[in-house]
C-alpha cells in the first residue's frame, strides 16, 4: 500500500514502471478498485477471437455504409424528376438511400464500440471520492500512466486490424455528418447560372428579378394540378402536355379581406384562359417557379375601409394597386413562410416563431423576433385585366444579411 502523504521526487517518478504509476494514480485519486476481472485470462481463447470478429464485422459494415453514403451523395442522380420521367424512380430513392446509409454507418460504429466494451475490455467496478483543488505534478504524471494502462488493458493496442477498421469507420462516420454541409456553403456573390425562376444563384435574386430583364411576369396561383395518365396503342403513361399548374390572377378573384399565395409566371409560359393550348407543355417551368425558394408572394386584398388607412412606405407609395398589396411570403427572421393572414387585425403571421407584420404599415414587424419589414412587390393590372408585377423587389427577400439596407 502506497502512502498518499509521501512526497515523490522527479527521480522517484521516473524510476517507477507504468503499472506502479497507474496504481499510485489510482490511490492518489481516492479511487478504490472494488472488482476487476480479465475477459480472457488464457491466451488464444476462442471466445476472444469470436468477440474480435464480431467487432470487426460491425466496423466493416460501418465502413461500407459510409462509402455507400458518399457514393450516393456524390454520384446518384438527384435532380428533380416528375412522375413518368425516365429517372423518376432514381430520384425517389435518393433521399431514402442517404438516410439508410448514413444511419447504418453511425449505428454500426456505435454497435462496434458497445461490443468492444462489453466483450473485450476487462470488467471493473471502481469508486472515486471527489476532491477540490488543482492537480500537481504527481497527479499529472500518474494520470498519464492511468491512460496508458487503460490503453494496454483494453488490448486495442495489439489489435492492429481492429485499429484500422475503427479508424476507417470513425473517419467515414465523420464524413457522413460533414459531407452534406458542403452543399450549404456557397459564395453569395457568385452568379451560378442564367437568370430564371430560381434567380441566378445570388442571394438577392429570385424569379421576380426576371422583370429587370424585360420579362412580363404575371401573379399566378398554384392549382395543384398533376401529370395526367393517358393510354394509347403503345401503352399507358403520364404526360404533362396541356397540364397547367399556374394560372393568372385577376383582381376580382379575391374577396375583400382575402389572401392568395402567388408565384411569378413569365408571359411565354402562360397556358390558361383564351391562351390555353392543349399541346403546350409548360408544367416543368411552372414547377420551377413554385419551387423557387424566394418566389412565394402573399397577395392581399384589404377591405376598402382599411386600405384607406394604410400607411405607405417612403419610396413605395405606388407599389400597391388599389386595395391590393403584395408582400414576400418569406419571413425576414429565418425564412419561414408567413402563411397566415388575419383580416380582422390586418396582421400577417409567421407560425414558426410568431412574428407578426402589419399589412396596413407596409408589412412592418409589430411582434416577435423579426426585425425588418416584409419586402413589398410593386404590382399593377395589365390591359387584359390580370395582375402583373410592375417591378422587382427593391431589397433582398428573406432573412437579413450584410448587403441588406432595410
Amino acid at each position: 500500500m502506497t502512502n498518499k502523504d509521501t512526497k515523490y521526487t522527479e527521480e522517484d517518478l521516473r524510476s517507477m514502471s507504468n503499472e506502479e504509476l497507474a496504481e499510485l494514480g489510482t490511490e492518489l485519486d481516492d479511487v478504490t478498485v472494488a472488482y476487476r476481472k480479465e475477459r480472457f485470462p488464457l491466451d488464444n481463447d476462442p471466445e476472444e477471437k469470436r468477440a474480435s470478429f464480431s467487432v470487426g464485422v460491425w466496423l466493416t459494415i460501418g465502413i461500407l455504409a459510409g462509402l455507400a453514403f458518399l457514393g450516393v451523395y456524390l454520384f446518384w442522380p438527384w435532380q428533380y424528376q416528375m412522375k413518368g420521367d425516365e429517372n423518376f424512380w432514381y430520384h425517389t430513392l435518393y433521399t431514402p438511400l442517404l438516410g439508410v446509409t448514413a444511419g447504418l454507418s453511425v449505428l454500426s460504429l456505435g454497435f462496434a464500440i458497445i461490443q468492444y466494451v462489453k466483450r473485450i475490455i476487462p470488467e471493473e467496478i471502481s469508486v472515486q471520492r471527489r476532491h477540490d483543488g488543482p492537480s500537481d505534478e504527481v497527479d499529472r504524471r500518474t494520470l498519464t500512466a492511468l491512460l496508458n494502462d487503460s490503453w494496454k488493458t483494453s488490448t486495442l493496442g495489439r489489435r492492429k486490424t481492429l485499429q484500422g477498421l475503427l479508424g476507417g469507420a470513425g473517419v467515414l462516420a465523420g464524413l457522413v455528418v460533414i459531407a452534406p454541409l458542403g452543399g450549404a456553403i456557397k459564395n453569395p456573390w457568385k452568379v451560378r447560372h442564367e437568370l430564371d425562376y430560381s434567380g441566378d444563384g445570388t442571394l438577392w435574386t429570385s424569379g421576380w428579378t426576371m422583370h429587370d430583364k424585360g420579362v412580363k411576369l404575371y401573379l399566378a396561383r398554384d392549382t395543384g394540378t398533376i401529370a395526367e395518365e393517358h393510354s394509347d396503342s403503345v401503352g399507358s403513361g403520364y404526360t404533362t402536355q396541356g397540364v397547367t399548374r399556374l394560372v393568372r390572377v385577376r383582381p376580382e378573384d379575391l374577396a375583400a379581406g382575402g389572401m392568395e399565395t402567388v408565384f411569378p409566371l413569365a408571359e411565354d409560359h402562360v397556358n390558361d384562359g383564351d391562351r390555353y393550348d392543349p399541346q403546350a407543355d409548360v408544367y416543368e417551368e411552372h414547377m420551377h417557379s413554385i419551387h423557387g425558394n424566394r418566389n412565394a408572394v402573399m397577395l392581399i386584398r384589404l377591405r376598402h375601409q382599411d386600405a384607406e388607412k394604410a400607411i405607405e412606405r417612403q419610396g413605395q407609395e405606388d407599389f400597391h394597386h388599389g386595395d391590393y398589396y403584395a408582400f414576400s411570403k418569406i419571413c425576414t427572421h429565418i425564412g419561414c413562410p408567413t402563411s397566415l393572414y388575419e383580416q380582422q387585425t390586418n396582421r400577417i403571421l409567421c407560425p414558426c416563431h410568431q412574428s407578426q407584420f402589419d399589412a396596413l404599415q407596409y408589412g412592418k414587424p409589430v411582434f416577435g423576433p423579426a426585425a425588418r419589414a416584409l419586402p413589398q412587390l410593386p404590382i399593377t393590372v395589365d390591359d387584359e385585366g390580370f395582375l402583373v408585377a410592375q417591378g422587382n423587389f427593391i431589397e433582398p427577400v428573406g432573412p437579413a444579411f450584410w448587403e441588406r439596407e432595410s
Side-chain angles (χ1 to χ4, degrees):
M1 178 66 67
T2 306
N3 188 349
K4 292 174 55 177
D5 295 329
T6 303
K7 299 299 182 181
Y8 295 93
T9 64
E10 181 72 23
E11 184 177 351
D12 293 333
L13 296 174
R14 194 180 300 112
S15 65
M16 293 182 181
S17 65
N18 190 79
E19 289 75 11
E20 291 172 331
L21 285 170
E23 181 181 356
L24 174 60
T26 301
E27 295 180 5
L28 291 176
D29 284 341
D30 288 328
V31 174
T32 301
V33 180
Y35 174 79
R36 184 168 186 172
K37 178 185 176 182
E38 296 291 335
R39 297 282 186 182
F40 313 108
L42 301 178
D43 294 336
N44 299 320
D45 189 332
E47 181 60 28
E48 180 179 6
K49 294 182 179 180
R50 286 193 291 270
S52 181
F53 178 77
S54 175
V55 174
V57 167
W58 281 113
L59 291 176
T60 301
I61 293 174
I63 290 174
L64 294 177
L67 291 173
F69 173 87
L70 293 176
V72 172
Y73 182 74
L74 294 174
F75 304 111
W76 196 272
W78 56 269
Q79 289 84 358
Y80 174 76
Q81 300 291 323
M82 293 183 293
K83 195 169 184 178
D85 288 347
E86 182 178 358
N87 294 323
F88 175 72
W89 287 108
Y90 289 103
H91 171 70
T92 59
L93 291 174
Y94 180 68
T95 300
L97 283 176
L98 287 180
V100 170
T101 53
L104 190 57
S105 174
V106 176
L107 288 175
S108 296
L109 178 59
F111 288 151
I113 294 173
I114 292 173
Q115 287 281 305
Y116 196 86
V117 172
K118 290 288 189 181
R119 301 183 62 179
I120 296 178
I121 291 181
E123 297 180 78
E124 180 176 296
I125 299 177
S126 301
V127 181
Q128 181 180 22
R129 181 183 300 171
R130 299 295 298 272
H131 60 84
D132 299 325
S135 301
D136 54 24
E137 179 62 24
V138 175
D139 291 329
R140 289 193 288 270
R141 293 290 292 273
T142 54
L143 176 60
T144 302
L146 285 170
L147 293 175
N148 290 334
D149 183 66
S150 299
W151 172 257
K152 180 179 179 181
T153 56
S154 72
T155 71
L156 188 60
R158 59 183 175 85
R159 301 179 189 275
K160 302 301 181 184
T161 302
L162 289 186
Q163 284 186 45
L165 291 173
L166 179 61
V171 169
L172 286 169
L175 289 176
V176 165
V177 177
I178 295 173
L181 298 178
I185 301 174
K186 295 182 179 180
N187 182 351
W189 297 281
K190 183 178 180 180
V191 176
R192 299 181 179 276
H193 52 76
E194 187 176 348
L195 184 65
D196 56 21
Y197 282 120
S198 62
D200 60 12
T202 55
L203 291 177
W204 47 85
T205 58
S206 66
W208 301 101
T209 310
M210 292 191 293
H211 185 280
D212 295 341
K213 302 297 182 181
V215 178
K216 182 178 181 179
L217 295 173
Y218 291 92
L219 277 62
R221 65 156 58 97
D222 180 10
T223 63
T225 309
I226 60 174
E228 297 178 347
E229 186 174 10
H230 71 98
S231 300
D232 53 27
S233 58
V234 178
S236 61
Y238 288 85
T239 180
T240 56
Q241 191 175 48
V243 178
T244 299
R245 184 67 182 250
L246 291 177
V247 297
R248 295 170 293 174
V249 176
R250 295 179 180 271
E252 57 267 27
D253 292 337
L254 267 72
M259 184 275 290
E260 180 85 42
T261 299
V262 294
F263 303 90
L265 177 61
E267 187 169 25
D268 291 343
H269 301 146
V270 172
N271 194 35
D272 62 67
D274 58 357
R275 295 173 59 177
Y276 178 73
D277 179 3
Q279 303 301 317
D281 194 350
V282 294
Y283 191 83
E284 184 174 354
E285 285 77 12
H286 290 188
M287 292 302 294
H288 285 317
S289 177
I290 295 169
H291 290 156
N293 57 8
R294 289 181 288 274
N295 287 350
V297 163
M298 296 183 72
L299 175 63
I300 298 174
R301 180 181 178 182
L302 297 176
R303 292 171 297 185
H304 185 67
Q305 62 270 28
D306 292 333
E308 290 181 332
K309 298 181 293 184
I311 299 174
E312 310 297 343
R313 194 173 187 177
Q314 186 176 1
Q316 301 182 19
E317 292 84 358
D318 61 347
F319 275 26
H320 66 102
H321 175 75
D323 299 341
Y324 296 83
Y325 288 74
F327 298 101
S328 170
K329 196 173 182 178
I330 313 304
C331 183
T332 55
H333 176 218
I334 58 173
C336 294
T338 57
S339 52
L340 304 174
Y341 173 63
E342 209 291 299
Q343 62 175 258
Q344 299 301 318
T345 60
N346 290 297
R347 289 193 177 187
I348 302 169
L349 313 176
C350 178
C352 289
H353 304 97
Q354 288 72 56
S355 292
Q356 298 183 18
F357 306 86
D358 190 352
L360 298 185
Q361 294 190 66
Y362 51 84
K364 175 183 177 181
V366 292
F367 181 83
R372 290 178 170 83
L374 293 172
Q376 187 174 351
L377 180 73
I379 59 174
T380 188
V381 172
D382 69 359
D383 296 338
E384 297 179 280
F386 291 103
L387 287 162
V388 296
Q390 193 175 13
N392 182 26
F393 289 107
I394 64 173
E395 57 187 327
V397 171
F401 60 98
W402 47 91
E403 257 84 18
R404 186 163 182 167
E405 297 178 356
S406 65

